[in-house]
């Protein structure tokens, strides 16, 4: 097992205090939005096996079968298929969707064929992979996820009393579900910019007023008024009003599958995703919005947001999702409890979010290739020695190779990210 040294990304929407409070560090005054744990080339974690810090991505590249296991390499190729994050939002992230695997492969191949530079601002597909996501709240967490039923969206928009929104209300009430959602989202995102900005401003003022009243949508109006404060005149504000507003409590989660429009608004959480950068934006951003491609990818299906709660299996609380690239679970370690074993044929990242957790290594199993091939950055046998121990405090994490047998002890909360074996 290896302690991870991780990079914090200073995106403008990040909280200045949430991650420092969790990590026990002094705030810098700058936003600290995400801490990345994994081997993503944009900010790979670093490990030290005795020869100094080295990128986890380089270690995996040097010996993928040893570091990931033959089964994982066979299923997903010679790279860690997931990225684990701590995410701390203080203002809304962009409203976005992710493609499915077929769409990602097709879109990436098309842009490669047309010679669109990989770093071009108008490029949609950075890679050929899909990007399902799971977010678990560590604090109360606000977000948007999936389309409301059109009748509910019609009532919410009608309640604003803005004349320019009446055509959208009529469509939402009269048309079949998929047609209504498609037509209204298309109209909002394709409208002339100046006229739409004025409509958004009137809607935002009305939402702020209604948020202070004791109506059925008061909390929703407050959320949309807050979004409009950060993105005045942005058509994404109206697009957001078509979506479910979700308020997660600690331990609750959302799974964001392909084509599901979503945005995180505020709060601290653990996020796990497939290793991809493919994002199609709907608004709430100064970045490129490709409306035709977005409409091709969005799934115009209404329903509730589908809040997930973990299912306990032998003391491990598992967040079930319908994909194989990742699986997230957590352990709540009680004081005085006996140490519990933890072994896997797949690679793992373990993250402490509360208390103190001790990881003690047992014998390394055959499925990891024994102690051969320690990979880049250190001698063979530097990982997985029986008796090795790591202590993790909040915000600290470790990479565990397949086949390593651990004992968990302490008093705290530990999240476990791995792949479906």
């Amino acid at each position: 097992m290896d302690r991870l040294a991780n990079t914090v990304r200073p995106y403008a929407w990040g909280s200045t205090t949430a991650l420092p409070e969790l990590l026990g560090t002094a705030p810098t005054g700058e936003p600290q939005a995400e801490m990345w744990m994994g081997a993503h080339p944009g900010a790979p974690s670093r490990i030290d096996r005795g020869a100094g810090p080295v990128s986890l991505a380089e270690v995996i590249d040097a010996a993928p079968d040893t570091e990931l296991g033959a089964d994982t390499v066979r299923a997903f190729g010679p790279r860690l298929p997931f990225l684990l994050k701590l995410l701390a939002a203080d203002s809304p992230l962009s409203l976005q969707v992710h493609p499915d695997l077929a769409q990602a492969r097709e879109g990436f191949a098309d842009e490669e064929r047309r010679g669109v530079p990989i770093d071009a601002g108008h490029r949609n597909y950075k890679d050929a992979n899909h990007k399902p996501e799971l977010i678990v709240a560590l604090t109360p967490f606000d977000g948007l996820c999936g389309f409301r039923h059109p009748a509910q969206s019609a009532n919410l928009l009608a309640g604003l009393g803005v004349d320019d929104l009446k055509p959208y209300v009529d469509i939402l009430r009269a048309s079949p579900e998929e047609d209504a959602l498609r037509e209204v989202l298309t109209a909002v995102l394709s409208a002339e910019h100046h006229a739409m900005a004025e409509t958004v401003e009137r809607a935002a003022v009305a939402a702020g007023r209604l948020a202070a009243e004791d109506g059925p949508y008061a909390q929703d109006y407050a959320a949309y008024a807050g979004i409009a404060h950060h993105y005045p005149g942005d058509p994404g504000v109206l697009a957001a009003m078509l979506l479910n507003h979700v308020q997660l409590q600690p331990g609750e989660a959302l799974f964001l599958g392909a084509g599901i429009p979503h945005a995180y608004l505020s709060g601290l959480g653990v996020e796990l995703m497939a290793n991809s950068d493919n994002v199609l934006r709907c608004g709430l951003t100064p970045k490129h919005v490709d409306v035709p491609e977005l409409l091709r990818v969005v799934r115009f299906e209404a329903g509730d947001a589908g809040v997930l709660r973990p299912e306990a299996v032998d003391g491990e609380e598992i967040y079930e999702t319908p994909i194989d690239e990742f699986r997230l679970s957590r352990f709540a370690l009680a004081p005085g409890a006996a140490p519990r074993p933890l072994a896997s044929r797949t690679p793992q990242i373990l993250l402490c979010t509360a208390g103190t957790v001790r990881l003690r290594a047992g014998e390394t199993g055959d499925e990891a290739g024994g102690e051969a091939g320690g990979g880049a950055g250190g001698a063979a046998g530097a990982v997985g020695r029986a008796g090795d121990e790591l202590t993790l405090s909040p915000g600290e994490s470790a990479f565990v190779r397949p086949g390593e047998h651990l004992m968990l002890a302490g008093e705290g909360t530990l999240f476990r990210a791995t792949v479906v074996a």
Side-chain angles (χ1 to χ4, degrees), residues 163-376:
D163 288 344
D164 291 346
L165 298 180
K166 288 182 179 179
Y168 304 147
V169 172
D170 292 341
I171 293 169
L172 290 167
R173 285 179 172 162
S175 300
E177 176 182 289
E178 181 177 344
D179 294 343
L181 295 171
R182 181 183 293 276
E183 188 172 351
V184 172
L185 183 64
T186 301
V188 166
L189 297 183
S190 304
E192 192 277 326
H193 178 75
H194 179 73
M196 179 54 65
E198 291 182 347
T199 299
V200 170
E201 287 301 307
R202 287 192 287 272
V205 170
R209 182 184 70 253
L210 292 166
E213 300 177 4
D214 189 23
Y217 294 109
Q219 290 186 335
D220 298 330
Y221 285 134
Y224 300 130
I227 294 170
H229 171 75
H230 290 285
Y231 295 98
D234 192 310
V237 174
L238 294 184
M241 292 183 181
L242 301 175
L243 306 186
N244 295 296
H245 173 222
V246 188
Q247 295 177 301
L248 298 179
Q249 295 305 306
E252 295 180 332
L254 290 174
F255 173 70
L256 296 317
I260 305 301
H262 62 276
Y264 303 144
L265 305 182
S266 65
L268 176 66
V270 174
E271 186 181 35
L272 184 59
M273 63 182 62
N275 209 344
S276 172
D277 291 320
N278 286 327
V279 175
L280 290 157
R281 295 175 176 85
C282 312
L284 312 183
T285 178
K287 296 182 179 180
H288 176 61
V289 177
D290 184 337
V291 175
E293 185 65 13
L294 170 73
L295 296 174
R296 190 178 78 86
V297 169
V298 169
R299 294 183 179 177
F300 291 96
E301 302 170 356
D304 63 38
V307 174
L308 294 178
R309 296 170 183 84
E311 298 181 12
V313 180
D314 296 329
E316 182 178 15
E317 299 175 324
I318 300 171
Y319 292 90
E320 293 288 354
T321 62
I323 51 110
D324 294 337
E325 282 89 339
F326 62 72
R327 189 186 78 161
L328 188 67
S329 59
R330 68 178 181 180
F331 298 91
L333 302 176
R340 61 166 296 131
L342 180 64
S344 176
R345 294 181 58 88
T346 56
Q348 306 175 71
I349 292 179
L350 305 178
L351 167 66
C352 177
T353 59
T356 301
V357 178
R358 297 188 303 278
L359 312 176
R360 185 176 179 84
E363 295 295 333
T364 302
D366 292 340
E367 56 267 51
E371 294 188 347

Side-chain angles (χ1 to χ4, degrees), residues 141-166:
F141 194 98
D142 266 25
L144 306 173
C145 179
F147 287 107
R148 294 176 183 271
H149 289 287
Q152 295 174 355
S153 293
N155 292 339
L156 186 143
L157 292 177
L160 294 169
V162 175
D163 288 344
D164 291 346
L165 298 180
K166 288 182 179 179

Side-chain angles (χ1 to χ4, degrees), residues 99-119:
D100 63 26
L101 190 55
Q103 291 165 338
R105 289 172 175 170
E106 179 185 350
F108 180 76
D110 175 65
E111 290 184 325
E112 288 288 280
R113 189 167 47 248
R114 292 190 286 116
V116 181
I118 198 70
D119 58 351

